Amino acid sequence: MTTPILTESDLRAAVERELPGVRADLERLVRIPGIAFDGFDHSHLERSAEAVAELLRGCSLDVRIVRSGGQPAVIGRRPAPPGAPTVLLYAHHDVQPVGDRALWESDPFEPEERNGRLYGRGAADDKAGIMAHVAALRAFGDALPVGVVLFIEGEEEYGSDSLERLLREHRDDLAADVMVIADSGNWDIGTPALTTSLRGLVNLFVEVRTGTHAVHSGMFGGAVPDALTALSRLIATLHDEAGDVAVEGLVGRTGATVDYPEDRLRHEAGMLDGTQFIGTGRLTDRIWIKPALAVLGIDAPPTLGAPNAIVPAAKAKLSLRLAPGDDPKRAYAAIAGHLEKHAPWGAEVTVTLEHDGDACEIDTTGPMYDAARAAFAAAWDGTEPVEMGVGGSIPFIATFRELFPKAAILITGVEDPDARAHGPNESLHLGEFARVCLAEAVLLANVAAAGTDAGGGR
């Protein structure tokens, strides 16, 4: 029996038909608070994995829930028709912690639509990525023209600690000619994008100690340094006067080909009037391909109830984003050396690595990337996709490239500049989500038509 070939018009109608059910299933996923961070109830991740497995079984996939010392991931497979390529579709079902619930305008785990957007933790990052895959499979039904492997991870937001083991243990099951990593975003509402670079990551802790115990700030102040002031002075050495990272030995890049309008970046970042940008050079260079360093948190006595005492120790968590081409191990050595060298007043400085990850650059030439561009242009009514960098990190892409060196890797996503992933009031633009679903369906059809000339990932 010959598998029927669905046209672009057929796929448009099929995606439109499936969208109400896809949205309902997305809302069900959003209601599951699956957070892989320590201190949270990980039974919700079990529920989330089971829910994803059920969705994939509904698409006629052979499904397994797997783990390798970490949180559950889901693998679903459907073999390719004779001679057709296989496409791996990646997303993750875990989410970030919600932070201060008082900053949310609605319950983060009760999805709510406002002004054409669906609000909720994970509504964009990355449960919508899961449902975009499901939408494309539902649109094809029995007429799927390629083989598919869905790999839905369960601890991406927590650093993907067990992912490399999972990939190696299930390498044969995950092999594909094309890999679609649905964990990035689009350039703007109405403009799709292919992500071509991501920065690397080094997260670390620095602790400053000036004494063995707290002492009276009046009796000893003026001669004995407090650790909070010492830590503040140390942190201040990490940037120069312009705001560029001042750690020697880090790779710095320029040459971004897209401009980021200042007013748009200010709006999207929620910058206060009068707050200046930091760093030098084109804005897209600063946020995509130059190093960036931020203080994520400080351990110190809270202001409420703080005694009049000199603090003997203080600790900060730092996040260093690396330019493509830099090495995380070398970068960690550079920043650790900087912090130890610049210890103020002889304070004791201890630096500890939390985790790191490689940067990524993608060469987007070849028929599979042409297939993706054509799919995006079709879904966005003729608007060609922008090739953009992303300042964030997806370190596991390096492992995919190592294990499947011949596979074409496409980094796509459902987020837009107002999605606020990781922050309060995360949301998904429902109109753009519909385009993403259509784009993926057309992409699978285009990949089937292109064949395996650029594949060979298996």
Side-chain angles (χ1 to χ4, degrees):
M1 179 178 178
T2 302
T3 300
I5 298 174
L6 299 186
T7 66
E8 181 183 314
S9 178
D10 294 332
L11 291 173
R12 285 181 180 274
V15 169
E16 184 176 354
R17 178 190 70 234
E18 297 294 341
L19 275 174
V22 167
R23 173 174 168 179
D25 286 327
L26 172 59
E27 293 186 3
R28 278 191 281 274
L29 290 181
V30 171
R31 292 187 179 97
I32 304 174
I35 300 170
F37 284 62
D38 291 340
F40 289 86
D41 183 354
H42 291 167
S43 69
H44 294 303
L45 290 165
E46 305 291 340
R47 292 174 53 214
S48 185
E50 289 288 352
V52 170
E54 181 182 355
L55 290 170
L56 301 191
R57 292 187 190 103
C59 296
S60 301
L61 273 65
D62 179 21
V63 179
R64 289 182 295 155
I65 296 176
V66 298
R67 66 179 75 234
S68 185
Q71 302 302 333
V74 185
I75 296 176
R77 290 180 54 83
R78 186 164 160 182
T86 294
V87 182
L88 182 142
L89 305 173
Y90 169 93
H92 62 87
H93 65 91
D94 67 306
V95 300
Q96 282 279 326
V98 300
D100 185 354
R101 286 189 178 238
L103 299 177
W104 288 77
E105 294 180 18
S106 57
D107 186 333
F109 294 113
E110 183 52 49
E112 179 177 298
E113 181 179 349
R114 300 194 298 273
N115 300 317
R117 304 188 70 96
L118 184 68
Y119 286 81
R121 176 58 90 221
D125 184 16
D126 186 30
K127 292 177 177 179
I130 299 170
M131 293 312 303
H133 297 329
V134 171
L137 297 180
R138 289 178 178 175
F140 280 104
D142 294 334
L144 186 63
V146 295
V148 291
V149 181
L150 271 78
F151 183 78
I152 311 299
E153 189 191 353
E155 57 182 20
E156 192 275 341
E157 300 292 9
Y158 190 54
S160 299
D161 287 345
S162 69
L163 178 61
E164 183 170 347
R165 295 192 300 274
L166 283 171
L167 294 179
R168 293 187 185 279
E169 290 170 9
H170 301 279
R171 179 176 181 174
D172 291 344
D173 289 337
L174 299 174
D177 303 292
V178 181
M179 298 187 171
V180 179
I181 311 296
D183 194 21
S184 186
N186 288 306
W187 175 242
D188 200 358
I189 294 172
T191 306
L194 269 174
T195 296
T196 60
S197 71
L198 298 113
R199 289 191 288 199
L201 174 69
V202 174
N203 273 11
L204 64 145
F205 301 98
V206 55
E207 183 174 27
V208 173
R209 184 170 289 277
T210 57
T212 59
H213 59 277
V215 295
H216 194 293
S217 61
M219 299 294 290
F220 295 94
V224 177
D226 72 87
L228 270 173
T229 298
L231 177 63
S232 299
R233 290 175 67 91
L234 180 59
I235 289 172
T237 69
L238 295 171
H239 294 85
D240 63 20
E241 289 300 315
D244 284 313
V245 178
V247 177
E248 293 184 4
L250 300 180
V251 171
R253 296 273 298 276
T254 59
T257 57
V258 180
D259 286 319
Y260 212 129
E262 288 192 12
D263 289 347
R264 176 181 155 188
L265 181 55
R266 284 185 171 277
H267 168 72
E268 291 169 2
M271 292 176 64
L272 297 178
D273 292 341
T275 301
Q276 300 176 1
F277 292 115
I278 62 172
T280 56
R282 178 178 282 184
L283 287 175
T284 43
D285 285 344
R286 295 184 228 178
I287 64 175
W288 291 351
I289 56 175
K290 293 180 71 173
L293 185 55
V295 181
L296 302 185
I298 292 179
D299 290 338
T303 57
L304 183 63
N308 287 326
I310 290 175
V311 176
K315 184 178 181 180
K317 180 177 180 178
L318 309 180
S319 181
L320 174 63
R321 301 287 177 163
L322 308 179
D326 208 346
D327 175 74
K329 302 296 187 289
R330 185 178 63 209
Y332 172 70
I335 189 171
H338 177 102
L339 292 166
E340 292 161 357
K341 176 182 177 181
H342 290 83
W345 305 315
E348 179 183 288
V349 172
T350 303
V351 183
T352 306
L353 176 68
E354 182 187 40
H355 59 254
D356 61 17
D358 289 304
C360 169
E361 283 186 290
I362 301 289
D363 177 4
T364 59
T365 58
M368 295 307 175
Y369 298 100
D370 294 340
R373 293 185 189 94
F376 287 147
W380 271 267
D381 300 324
T383 300
E384 295 289 333
V386 171
E387 293 196 2
M388 71 178 199
V390 170
S393 307
I394 309 180
F396 63 77
I397 291 178
T399 306
F400 275 99
R401 296 174 78 176
E402 175 196 344
L403 295 179
F404 310 106
K406 295 182 180 180
I409 296 180
L410 308 173
I411 306 175
T412 68
V414 299
E415 297 172 27
D416 66 86
D418 289 324
R420 302 190 185 182
H422 293 205
N425 302 305
E426 177 182 348
S427 68
L428 174 72
H429 189 287
L430 292 169
E432 291 296 281
F433 177 60
R435 293 183 185 274
V436 168
C437 295
L438 175 59
E440 183 157 316
V442 176
L443 169 62
L444 295 181
N446 290 354
V447 167
T452 59
D453 291 343
R458 293 168 287 171

